[in-house]
Amino acid sequence: MIQPLKYNSGLSFKANTNVNSENSKPSLKTRFTDAIKVFNTTTNTVQGVSRGVVEGIFAAGLVGLIGKNIKSAKSNIFKTLWGVVKDIGAVVGATLKSIPGLLTEAPIKNLSNVASLPKKFYKNYLKDNKVTAVLATVAALGVLAFRTIQGKINANLKNADVDHATKTKHY
């Protein structure tokens, strides 16, 4: 049977006055360690995201390359391997052709060319391979998520090291 709640006259909803008052400022040590921890969190998370983007693009390309060639070769291993070699050769050739443009074109033009590569990859290369495109996207997002979380964990470990070295409380 459910019991009714009993009134507790000792219950208070007032703020605890023993906690830091509004007029108190954190010490110089606290402000310094907080600044270091903000720097650690920012840099390590950004590093994780950056690494995740690069490795995610690589993962998507690899999954797309292999998946498309498996489907195109109708699961024949030798035709699949030959297709992979041909496609890698085409990518290397296109990359080598674009190198002079890096030196002669405006940086904005080069950035727009690089930014258009994922769209070209999905629209032109994986146009008839929707399942492979989905798998490539899932692989890229998975790598991005993993590396971002890993960067945040590394930041937390560095922040714990700062807290332990300065004998402050780690949250």
Side-chain angles (χ1 to χ4, degrees):
M1 176 175 205
I2 298 175
Q3 298 293 325
L5 295 174
K6 294 181 181 176
Y7 174 73
N8 183 353
S9 61
L11 188 61
S12 173
F13 291 101
K14 294 180 182 176
N16 187 353
T17 57
N18 295 333
V19 181
N20 294 338
S21 67
E22 291 180 20
N23 296 334
S24 70
K25 293 182 180 177
S27 68
L28 182 61
K29 175 183 170 183
T30 303
R31 287 187 279 173
F32 183 70
T33 55
D34 286 349
I36 291 173
K37 292 191 294 186
V38 166
F39 178 78
N40 283 342
T41 302
T42 303
T43 56
N44 282 279
T45 305
V46 168
Q47 285 174 353
V49 169
S50 301
R51 188 173 175 189
V53 166
V54 171
E55 291 178 3
I57 289 169
F58 181 77
L62 192 62
V63 169
L65 172 73
I66 293 171
K68 176 197 175 269
N69 282 296
I70 287 173
K71 185 176 178 188
S72 297
K74 297 184 173 121
S75 300
N76 182 323
I77 188 72
F78 297 110
K79 288 182 181 178
T80 299
L81 291 174
W82 178 243
V84 168
V85 169
K86 281 183 5 184
D87 288 348
I88 289 174
V91 168
V92 169
T95 303
L96 292 175
K97 285 181 186 175
S98 69
I99 289 175
L102 292 173
L103 303 173
T104 60
E105 300 274 339
I108 301 253
K109 174 80 168 150
N110 289 325
L111 285 175
S112 68
N113 288 340
V114 170
S116 70
L117 290 177
K119 183 177 178 182
K120 289 178 184 176
F121 175 72
Y122 282 99
K123 188 176 180 184
N124 299 335
Y125 189 73
L126 294 178
K127 63 182 170 191
D128 297 327
N129 300 289
K130 302 227 184 282
V131 173
T132 302
V134 168
L135 292 175
T137 304
V138 168
L141 293 175
V143 169
L144 174 63
F146 174 76
R147 291 299 185 192
T148 302
I149 292 168
Q150 188 180 39
K152 182 65 175 125
I153 290 170
N154 289 339
N156 194 33
L157 291 172
K158 285 186 177 182
N159 290 341
D161 290 342
V162 169
D163 287 334
H164 295 304
T166 58
K167 294 182 176 42
T168 55
K169 188 174 182 180
H170 182 70
Y171 300 101

